[in-house]
Amino acid sequence: SARVSSGPWLSLSFAKKMKIFVTVGTTKFDPLIESLDTEKFQKIAISRGFSSISCQIGNGYHEPKFATISGNFYRFKPTLKEDYESADLVISHAGAGSVLRPALRLGKKLLVVVNEALMDNHQQELAEELQKQGHLFDTRA
């Protein structure tokens, strides 16, 4: 099967239809959801072998339309376990609960986007440390 590699954090196979799971936790993080709800992002995702995106949007205002890729969204549910387990790539805010489960416990490919609108920089500190350890890739929305 063909493989794509943009660094050690993103080496994925095209053998199956891959899924992206996005989570923002309990906060609002519209810049992240808005950046994923663009034709440009969705076309890139499709070109990398992804066929669907599932977004947990928390208390955010932006409800994604998924014009180019198959997708769904919800605000909250009792557990995200199935979403994490079925995902080939997790895109997450840098909250400890959202980052530690996929990166360390499940071994998922993880792209972390720090929510700079929060009052302190605990997300940035956590993301930087886990990136140094090779568990994730840290970026901005």
Side-chain angles (χ1 to χ4, degrees):
S1 79
R3 294 182 74 76
V4 168
S5 181
S6 296
W9 65 275
L10 185 59
S11 188
L12 302 167
S13 171
F14 287 130
K16 64 176 184 137
K17 292 186 175 195
M18 295 188 297
K19 299 176 182 178
I20 298 172
F21 172 54
V22 182
T23 179
V24 302
T26 58
T27 64
K28 294 181 186 86
F29 198 1
D30 285 326
L32 173 57
I33 301 302
E34 289 167 358
S35 68
L36 303 176
D37 193 28
T38 63
E39 182 179 5
K40 180 178 180 180
F41 175 83
Q42 292 172 18
K43 282 185 174 182
I44 290 169
I46 291 167
S47 77
R48 299 282 195 229
F50 293 98
S51 61
S52 65
I53 302 174
S54 180
C55 293
Q56 180 267 320
I57 66 169
N59 286 313
Y61 298 110
H62 185 81
E63 297 182 349
K65 310 291 184 277
F66 305 109
T68 310
I69 196 169
S70 174
N72 69 294
F73 74 91
Y74 57 89
R75 294 191 180 280
F76 303 101
K77 57 166 104 165
T79 178
L80 304 180
K81 182 177 187 257
E82 184 178 305
D83 298 280
Y84 280 114
E85 289 176 350
S86 68
D88 298 286
L89 172 65
V90 175
I91 300 175
S92 175
H93 73 124
S98 297
V99 169
L100 295 176
R101 172 178 283 163
L104 302 178
R105 294 187 190 129
L106 298 176
K108 296 294 181 173
K109 304 295 182 190
L110 179 61
L111 177 63
V112 168
V113 184
V114 173
N115 188 344
E116 295 176 332
L118 298 179
M119 296 299 285
D120 59 40
N121 66 352
H122 73 279
Q123 285 196 1
Q124 183 63 47
E125 292 168 1
L126 177 62
E128 287 175 359
E129 182 57 34
L130 289 175
Q131 181 168 304
K132 284 180 196 173
Q133 295 177 18
H135 295 294
L136 57 84
F137 184 78
D138 170 30
T139 190
R140 304 286 175 276

